[in-house]
Amino acid sequence: MATSSPRSLAASVVGWVIVVLLLWIVGGAILGTLWWLVRGLLIFFVIGALIWLYFRLKAPE
């Protein structure tokens, strides 16, 4: 079994920290974008429902 030097081990740890940070940033951006889209659709749905309800209640019988 080969032994690795402390410098090689440190480089490996630094590399994995960089990968985790990049995944954290990219994952956060993707989830943020999805939440923004869902929130936008929800707002449009609520506004549309309120407009529909307004005209439905305002219409003469």
Side-chain angles (χ1 to χ4, degrees), residues 6-41:
R7 188 172 177 174
S8 174
L9 183 61
S12 180
V13 169
V14 169
W16 277 109
V17 168
I18 290 171
V19 168
V20 167
L21 287 175
L22 286 175
L23 287 176
W24 183 276
I25 292 169
V26 170
I30 291 171
L31 289 176
T33 301
L34 289 175
W35 174 243
W36 182 79
L37 289 172
V38 168
R39 188 176 55 192
L41 289 173

